[in-house]
Amino acid sequence: MENNTQVTEFVLLGLSQNPKVQFVLFFLFLTIYSTTWLGNLTIIITVISTPHLHIPMYFLLANLAVIDISESSVTSLKLLWDLFSHSHIISYNWCIAQIFFIHLTGGTVVFLLIAMAVDRYIAIYKPLRYLLIMNHSVCIGLVAGAWLGGFAHSIVQIGILVQLPFCGPNILDNFYCDIPQLIKLACTNTYTIELLMVSNSGLLLTLIFFILLVSYTIILVKIRTHVTEGKHKALSTCGAQIMVMSLNFVPGMFIYDRPFKVFPGDKIVSVLYTLFTPMLNSMIFTLRNTEMKNNVRKLMRKCLLDKRTDLLQ
């Protein structure tokens, strides 16, 4: 199939055409984006500056925070600009680039959540050999593998997408570029390609989700029946990871695990998936993890004390 692209830009319909509603949405999403940065940056700084948090679980958590900031930025910056400027145009090249980075960061999150599940499995089933197995080289390899997995997933999607000809309507009923909406504008029969896309996104996401659910069920059974010391902490950590996993997988399955048809709730799910989830991830891990919560408080007190000392001097 030759690339006969004639459309050079797309129009994003966004979430509302009402200027007053757009004004409210701008400040709402600016608050969400700022909170995402603040929450995840707090996790990153806390893990880096606290020596006893230099263990595999928190190393992976800090990397998840980096990805959450990246994932949120891919859609939030364009959305905020469109709401502020009332300009809803995106060029073909930038549209393809946005899709690439959405699936790069989204795919990386999925593979990193797999790594975090493996980390918890080893911590519960091999506690004496945990730090030996999950050494620094292995942790770096898991993170690098997550990024490579996300890149492979994304580049396959883009490789298929750029071959499609776009010569007709150029209106996307969404606030960002994504495959379900864009593929419907192609001037060709896309049934087979839609099935390939669903297989590479939705079905793979569903398979991984259920494998992780079974894995966490096994881990929770082990914690309840065999772990005595630190049981509450282990249950709380796994509970937080299951909540984060569900927040990332369930909306993604709703969007990608079906032939690309438009449903009334698609935009709401997209807002949850691309804007709220990166913000909620940091909140869940901070609020449900007592050790992280205490260290964040210590870091904040230290910063305030240092600032007060500087002012007195």
Side-chain angles (χ1 to χ4, degrees):
M1 189 182 300
E2 295 182 2
N3 185 359
N4 298 318
T5 303
Q6 296 177 20
V7 172
T8 58
E9 61 183 23
F10 296 99
V11 178
L12 300 170
L13 290 183
L15 297 170
S16 174
Q17 304 300 312
N18 188 318
K20 292 182 180 179
V21 175
Q22 289 184 9
F23 180 79
V24 174
L25 290 176
F26 174 79
F27 284 100
L28 172 63
F29 293 133
L30 181 61
T31 302
I32 292 171
Y33 184 55
S34 302
T35 306
T36 300
W37 262 95
L38 180 62
N40 286 291
L41 200 59
T42 299
I43 289 176
I44 295 167
I45 294 172
T46 302
V47 171
I48 291 174
S49 61
T50 309
H52 69 267
L53 293 184
H54 294 175
I55 58 175
M57 183 179 78
Y58 291 108
F59 176 79
L60 296 174
L61 177 57
N63 276 276
L64 178 64
V66 172
I67 301 170
D68 281 335
I69 291 174
S70 305
E71 186 175 26
S72 177
S73 298
V74 173
T75 52
S76 294
L77 293 177
K78 174 60 178 170
L79 172 61
L80 290 171
W81 172 252
D82 288 349
L83 291 172
F84 179 77
S85 65
H86 303 290
S87 170
H88 301 278
I89 304 297
I90 186 169
S91 70
Y92 172 82
N93 289 335
W94 277 112
C95 185
I96 296 297
Q98 189 177 49
I99 292 173
F100 171 78
F101 285 110
I102 286 171
H103 286 268
L104 169 64
T105 53
T108 304
V109 166
V110 168
F111 289 111
L112 192 62
L113 289 174
I114 294 173
M116 294 175 78
V118 171
D119 170 74
R120 289 300 84 205
Y121 182 88
I122 295 172
I124 300 301
Y125 277 84
K126 305 284 184 180
L128 299 179
R129 300 184 60 201
Y130 172 60
L131 293 178
L132 183 64
I133 296 171
M134 293 293 294
N135 58 63
H136 189 62
S137 298
V138 170
C139 291
I140 291 175
L142 288 172
V143 172
W147 278 103
L148 286 173
F151 176 81
H153 159 74
S154 185
I155 205 68
V156 168
Q157 305 276 70
I158 296 300
I160 297 173
L161 198 60
V162 295
Q163 298 182 61
L164 296 176
F166 296 95
C167 54
N170 66 335
I171 297 175
L172 291 170
D173 188 17
N174 209 343
F175 59 93
Y176 66 98
C177 282
D178 202 5
I179 294 169
Q181 293 78 30
L182 188 61
I183 202 169
K184 286 299 183 184
L185 301 182
C187 304
T188 185
N189 189 320
T190 59
Y191 178 77
T192 303
I193 295 173
E194 285 182 53
L195 291 180
L196 289 173
M197 295 288 194
V198 168
S199 299
N200 190 34
S201 292
L203 294 181
L204 186 62
L205 206 61
T206 304
L207 179 63
I208 294 173
F209 178 68
F210 283 107
I211 290 174
L212 287 178
L213 273 183
V214 172
S215 301
Y216 275 114
T217 302
I218 294 170
I219 292 170
L220 290 173
V221 169
K222 176 72 173 180
I223 293 171
R224 287 188 174 277
T225 56
H226 293 85
V227 176
T228 54
E229 185 178 350
K231 177 181 284 190
H232 177 74
K233 179 182 176 182
L235 287 172
S236 180
T237 301
C238 286
Q241 292 188 2
I242 291 170
M243 288 175 67
V244 168
M245 179 187 72
S246 300
L247 276 173
N248 281 274
F249 278 83
V250 174
M253 289 188 293
F254 179 85
I255 295 171
Y256 300 113
D257 201 9
R258 52 183 166 82
F260 298 135
K261 296 179 180 178
V262 177
F263 286 90
D266 280 358
K267 286 186 182 180
I268 297 173
V269 175
S270 294
V271 169
L272 173 65
Y273 185 56
T274 61
L275 302 176
F276 278 91
T277 296
M279 177 187 70
L280 293 174
N281 286 350
S282 61
M283 290 183 176
I284 291 169
F285 278 118
T286 303
L287 295 176
R288 287 188 61 89
N289 189 313
T290 304
E291 190 173 16
M292 175 60 72
K293 189 161 49 177
N294 291 337
N295 280 284
V296 168
R297 286 173 179 168
K298 288 178 184 177
L299 183 64
M300 291 177 67
R301 281 198 295 265
K302 184 177 182 298
C303 290
L304 290 172
L305 185 62
D306 291 344
K307 188 175 181 180
R308 188 179 300 172
T309 303
D310 292 339
L311 288 173
L312 290 174
Q313 290 177 350

